[in-house]
Amino acid sequence: MHKKLTYFIQSFIIILFAAVFLYSCGSDDTVTNTPPPEPVDTSDFQYPFTIGSYWNYTLTVSAENIRPDSILHYFSSYPLTGYGYTEILYDTVVQIGGPVRVIYDRLILGNDTTASRYYYSQNEYSMVCYGYRASTTASFPFRKLHNLPFGDLSGMNTLGIGYFSVSDTFLVITPPVIVLKYPVVKNTQWIMFDQGSSNISKKYISWENYHLDTAVIPCMQTQRIWSADGDKILYDYYSKYGQMKRNYLFKNQQYRNNLFITLGYYDEREEYKVTSFNIAAP
């Protein structure tokens, strides 16, 4: 009797184990191990401002949400790729701001090469831009946006980001633009352009890491906000090594033919990513 009871208990345990095993194998539930979030250094910083510092970057322009389908073939060359170079060149003086430092930018896209020089000052409270000569509208760390219609699909005009011939005319930004505000603290917001009934502001949104080769670079995601225009979704990413990335989305852009007749609409995304840089010693 005792042997039969022992055999019954052993059999029951084996059957129970098999049932549990079969249930776990047949269950649709999967167990995933979510890795912990990557730590981000949130230390305050100022934009590097030493003469001789430089950055190389790529520009990728893509078209999204193209409508109607009848204009899709106009975008067959997308995405477009450009290559840029930015360098802090020299000190000079401008009438509106006094002593300033010049940051040069060159952008190559297809057969087009454009260049610009922007004029900045920086102190413990802010980095300020007073004006520029020519404009690639791709300049780091500040880009002056130009709203030009989408033209033909050759060269810089395809970007809708403003093609300007090289000029030595100094164009004043009035009032000067606060590009960065110090200290760099999440949720800090300030007005860049006051247009009366509307304004354009900047806001520090959140910290995130930018990966460049094996380097991990903490950046402050910064949004440029139009109070009266929700079709521009614009983010810049600043760090103690300079601007590392830019992600701009322009929604509901018009596609026009050579007679400026609107044939359809699309969303344009511009992504800038730094590929290498060197920060000169003070």
Side-chain angles (χ1 to χ4, degrees):
M1 180 67 181
H2 178 72
K3 291 183 177 180
K4 289 184 178 180
L5 181 60
T6 301
Y7 176 77
F8 174 78
I9 293 173
Q10 290 175 342
S11 300
F12 176 77
I13 292 174
I14 292 172
I15 293 171
L16 180 62
F17 176 80
V20 171
F21 177 77
L22 291 173
Y23 174 79
S24 63
C25 291
S27 175
D28 290 335
D29 297 333
T30 57
V31 177
T32 57
N33 294 319
T34 304
E38 185 179 49
V40 183
D41 181 3
T42 59
S43 302
D44 185 30
F45 65 88
Q46 284 197 359
Y47 201 88
F49 209 51
T50 51
I51 293 173
S53 298
Y54 65 83
W55 297 260
N56 292 289
Y57 64 86
T58 59
L59 163 63
T60 303
V61 182
S62 56
E64 308 171 2
N65 192 25
I66 302 168
R67 67 263 186 211
D69 289 346
S70 59
I71 67 170
L72 283 172
H73 64 281
Y74 291 112
F75 296 85
S76 60
S77 60
Y78 276 66
L80 308 175
T81 302
Y83 301 90
Y85 175 80
T86 295
E87 182 180 355
I88 302 178
L89 289 184
Y90 54 82
D91 290 331
T92 188
V93 176
V94 294
Q95 185 174 359
I96 187 174
V100 293
R101 189 154 287 183
V102 178
I103 300 183
Y104 167 81
D105 186 80
R106 181 188 70 236
L107 176 64
I108 300 173
L109 183 75
N111 294 323
D112 292 315
T113 300
T114 57
S116 66
R117 285 169 285 167
Y118 277 69
Y119 296 74
Y120 298 89
S121 69
Q122 181 166 250
N123 57 32
E124 60 183 309
Y125 304 108
S126 62
M127 184 180 195
V128 177
C129 183
Y130 295 93
Y132 57 95
R133 297 181 190 273
S135 182
T136 63
T137 67
S139 306
F140 287 163
F142 170 66
R143 163 179 166 178
K144 190 178 188 304
L145 293 176
H146 302 278
N147 299 319
L148 295 184
F150 193 103
D152 60 34
L153 288 180
S154 60
M156 194 68 67
N157 287 335
T158 62
L159 300 180
I161 63 171
Y163 175 83
F164 290 84
S165 58
V166 176
S167 171
D168 276 335
T169 302
F170 179 71
L171 302 177
V172 177
I173 300 175
T174 307
V177 173
I178 298 176
V179 178
L180 291 168
K181 207 171 184 67
Y182 303 128
V184 178
V185 178
K186 181 180 175 180
N187 293 326
T188 298
Q189 185 167 348
W190 68 97
I191 293 177
M192 295 178 66
F193 299 100
D194 188 349
Q195 300 173 323
S197 59
S198 63
N199 63 68
I200 302 172
S201 63
K202 255 185 169 181
K203 183 178 181 179
Y204 293 143
I205 301 298
S206 63
W207 291 92
E208 67 174 65
N209 286 328
Y210 180 74
H211 294 83
L212 178 58
D213 297 328
T214 59
V216 179
I217 301 171
C219 297
M220 174 58 79
Q221 181 192 44
T222 306
Q223 185 175 10
R224 190 187 297 202
I225 304 169
W226 265 256
S227 64
D229 187 352
D231 283 343
K232 296 181 178 67
I233 304 174
L234 314 177
Y235 294 101
D236 293 282
Y237 298 79
Y238 300 110
S239 79
K240 65 180 179 180
Y241 301 112
Q243 183 160 2
M244 291 291 111
K245 185 171 68 169
R246 176 180 285 155
N247 192 328
Y248 284 2
L249 177 64
F250 301 90
K251 301 174 69 175
N252 300 313
Q253 298 292 295
Q254 296 182 50
Y255 179 80
R256 299 176 179 179
N257 62 14
N258 292 333
L259 298 177
F260 290 95
I261 298 173
T262 299
L263 302 181
Y265 298 86
Y266 66 101
D267 299 343
E268 176 188 290
R269 185 179 299 277
E270 301 170 16
E271 293 183 276
Y272 305 74
K273 294 183 178 181
V274 166
T275 56
S276 65
F277 66 89
N278 179 71
I279 307 303

